[in-house]
Amino acid sequence: MRTNKEAARARLWHVLEERAPASGDRLPPERVLKDLVGCSRETLRAALATLEAQGEIWRHVGQGTFRGRAPLGRPVKDTLLLEATTPADLMDARRLLEPQVAAAAAERRVPGDIALLRQRVAEGRSARDRAACERADDAFHQSIAQVARNPLLIALLRHFSGARCRAVWQREWDRTYRRVGVEEFTRVHGDQHEQVVDAIAASDGPAAHRAMARHLEVVSIDMGFLGSEPGTS
């Protein structure tokens, strides 16, 4: 038999799925959630704390409670910039920056880095739903920045990750996922990630740059930000 706290957590999860389905969506305030869940504020806060510890929600004083993991390394003053960033802007910035990051990673990698990157590729291949695909893809691209060993590049990729937590990006990603299907994310994108890692493992900066550029071009086409060209798949 479920305890009152377990029942409250189950009802809260149902409310989240209805009211804040995508990462970055803002949850209703506690006074509204309490009534929706049908529990005391104390029980609600305990349930919210559990979800926060699991990375399902994050909270910011003065801004509210949001679905998904907290953006790492994002100063509060960056909030307005993130809010103004469209998915197309984000992909444009990624296409300009991330091939250079991959090239730097190829020049600076050490043997232990390749095992981490291979693990990230494997995680992407084993993802079986939209949220898992998004988390694995985000982790892969952030790991490339870590291998490049430049604190500013790491911060910029974390900033991109913060933008990916926003509801507007998540809705676009969800539409893309439904359109192209899990096969595109686990096989095609996984193959492209592996090509990037192969180039980094070979310490081949130009090849890593080309592989990452090709990958992000395909993502942009999948999301409808670029027109498909002959030979692009």
Side-chain angles (χ1 to χ4, degrees), residues 22-39:
S23 181
D25 284 350
R26 190 193 304 268
L27 277 64
E30 283 188 7
R31 66 179 183 277
V32 176
L33 278 177
K34 175 177 66 68
D35 294 337
L36 291 172
V37 174
C39 66

Side-chain angles (χ1 to χ4, degrees), residues 180-190 192 218-219 222 233:
V180 303
V182 68
E183 172 75 2
E184 177 80 5
F185 284 91
T186 58
R187 186 183 65 80
V188 178
H189 290 196
Q192 292 165 0
V218 169
V219 174
D222 285 345
S233 59

Side-chain angles (χ1 to χ4, degrees), residues 108-123:
R108 301 170 186 176
R109 64 88 173 167
V110 297
D113 294 332
I114 306 307
L116 171 64
L117 296 180
R118 300 282 188 208
Q119 178 185 341
R120 294 287 184 256
V121 173
E123 290 166 356

Side-chain angles (χ1 to χ4, degrees), residues 1-230:
M1 176 179 290
R2 283 182 172 180
T3 66
N4 289 338
K5 289 183 178 180
E6 289 172 337
R9 284 198 295 269
R11 290 194 298 272
L12 175 60
W13 182 260
H14 181 72
V15 171
L16 260 61
E17 289 293 280
E18 287 189 339
R19 299 295 186 96
S23 181
D25 284 350
R26 190 193 304 268
L27 277 64
E30 283 188 7
R31 66 179 183 277
V32 176
L33 278 177
K34 175 177 66 68
D35 294 337
L36 291 172
V37 174
C39 66
S40 68
R41 183 159 290 194
E42 179 182 1
T43 299
L44 173 66
R45 287 176 175 170
L48 288 171
T50 298
L51 290 177
E52 186 171 24
Q54 294 171 345
E56 297 292 346
I57 63 170
W58 65 283
R59 293 181 275 189
H60 193 289
V61 176
Q63 294 187 32
T65 302
F66 301 86
R67 186 72 185 269
R69 65 193 184 282
L72 298 177
R74 190 193 77 177
V76 176
K77 66 182 180 181
D78 285 347
T79 300
L80 292 178
L81 177 59
L82 287 179
E83 290 299 322
T85 300
T86 68
D89 288 337
L90 176 58
M91 282 308 306
D92 183 50
R94 292 182 64 192
R95 292 179 66 218
L96 290 169
L97 178 65
E98 291 194 47
Q100 297 286 353
V101 176
E107 296 170 359
R108 301 170 186 176
R109 64 88 173 167
V110 297
D113 294 332
I114 306 307
L116 171 64
L117 296 180
R118 300 282 188 208
Q119 178 185 341
R120 294 287 184 256
V121 173
E123 290 166 356
R125 291 190 184 279
S126 65
R128 288 297 176 262
D129 58 40
R130 181 195 62 79
C133 285
E134 166 76 352
R135 286 194 298 269
D137 184 76
D138 188 31
F140 173 79
H141 287 275
Q142 288 204 57
S143 294
I144 298 290
Q146 292 169 10
V147 173
R149 288 179 169 78
N150 182 304
L152 184 55
L153 291 177
I154 293 171
L156 285 170
L157 266 293
R158 284 179 175 172
H159 188 85
F160 290 170
S161 179
R164 291 174 67 158
C165 287
R166 292 179 56 240
V168 64
W169 169 272
Q170 290 294 324
R171 284 192 291 270
E172 194 68 49
W173 185 265
D174 184 62
R175 283 194 291 270
T176 303
Y177 180 86
R178 292 177 186 277
R179 184 170 63 252
V180 303
V182 68
E183 172 75 2
E184 177 80 5
F185 284 91
T186 58
R187 186 183 65 80
V188 178
H189 290 196
D191 289 348
Q192 292 165 0
H193 284 179
E194 193 156 17
Q195 290 165 10
V196 174
V197 177
D198 287 344
I200 292 173
S203 298
D204 190 337
H209 187 288
R210 290 192 299 271
M212 181 63 80
R214 282 196 300 268
H215 169 57
L216 294 176
E217 181 180 18
V218 169
V219 174
S220 295
I221 291 170
D222 285 345
M223 298 188 78
F225 302 139
L226 291 176
S228 181
E229 298 178 1

